[in-house]
Amino acid sequence: IHFFAYSPTTANIGSDSWNATGKYPSFSYTVQAEATQEDLLAVAVADKCKTGVTSMGSVNLIFKHILTQINFKLVGKDAGFTYSVTGIKLTNVANEGTYTYSSSTGAWSDLKGAAEYSYPTSVTGTGTVVIAKDGNALILMPNTNVAAVKVLVAYSTTKDSKTYFTGTKEVVLSGSWGIGQSILYTLTLPSGAEEITVSPSVDENGWG
């Protein structure tokens, strides 16, 4: 017998999207807006056999995260400046896909959509500002190529009561978002019109 499960039971999965063709089933899923986001976990246990006439044995269901967690950290590049960040927004994010179970982590395919997600932040500081925390994290669709995703950072810089920059800058991402990964993007903000630099840090062990 093969066992397949997902959690929570209220996950954004339609009953008509479940496909049980073949050994490993699949389902379609849509990532929700940031205000109502939820984690999604899944597990597959294959080839379990009855162990005796009166004992059916036990089945261990060890659930794993199958989405990607995204967080941000801010660093002021130039000493002496005050940085005021009023918003971080991700645009053109694929938010729909099909998850297919496997004997290990499974895989996402048929990605589509171009959703926007706002990362909650309103901070002012002069150095490194860590705004990454559980309450801020975005939980998004894994994607093997995030080059289409844009990060828009709205901020201003001041020094000695003079404003040197105010506006929104666009950051282009690269690489991928893996299943179960927790990714922290460090954004280094210059005081003037230069580009923002971005450095990702990936935790392969996911999150709690």
Side-chain angles (χ1 to χ4, degrees), residues 119-149:
Y119 186 85
T121 181
S122 180
V123 297
T124 299
T126 57
T128 300
V129 180
V130 179
I131 56 177
K133 56 184 180 181
D134 291 342
N136 282 353
L138 295 173
I139 302 176
L140 303 178
M141 182 70 68
N143 194 334
T144 56
N145 183 6
V146 295
V149 176

Side-chain angles (χ1 to χ4, degrees), residues 36-117:
T36 55
Q37 280 200 321
E38 61 185 5
D39 200 358
L40 178 64
L41 301 97
V43 59
V45 178
D47 302 322
K48 294 297 289 185
C49 298
K50 182 178 177 180
T51 58
V53 176
T54 59
S55 172
M56 297 299 291
S58 61
V59 178
N60 247 353
L61 299 180
I62 303 175
F63 286 83
K64 296 181 180 179
H65 300 282
I66 60 172
L67 296 177
T68 306
Q69 186 185 76
I70 302 296
N71 259 314
F72 290 93
K73 179 170 70 174
L74 304 177
V75 177
K77 178 182 177 183
D78 303 309
F81 286 83
T82 298
Y83 295 80
S84 180
V85 180
T86 56
I88 299 176
K89 179 185 291 185
L90 282 74
T91 66
N92 204 35
V93 181
N95 65 328
E96 300 177 45
T98 298
Y99 177 78
T100 302
Y101 285 91
S102 73
S103 59
S104 55
T105 57
W108 289 95
S109 61
D110 301 325
L111 302 186
K112 57 184 178 180
E116 291 188 356
Y117 295 92

Side-chain angles (χ1 to χ4, degrees), residues 166-207:
T166 181
T168 300
K169 294 182 181 180
E170 181 181 286
V171 178
V172 179
L173 302 180
S174 61
S176 62
W177 295 345
I179 289 178
Q181 288 182 336
S182 179
I183 302 176
L184 174 66
Y185 286 105
T186 299
L187 303 178
T188 301
L189 311 179
S191 58
E194 303 96 319
E195 292 184 353
I196 295 174
T197 58
V198 56
S199 175
S201 174
V202 179
D203 184 352
E204 297 289 353
N205 296 318
W207 62 98

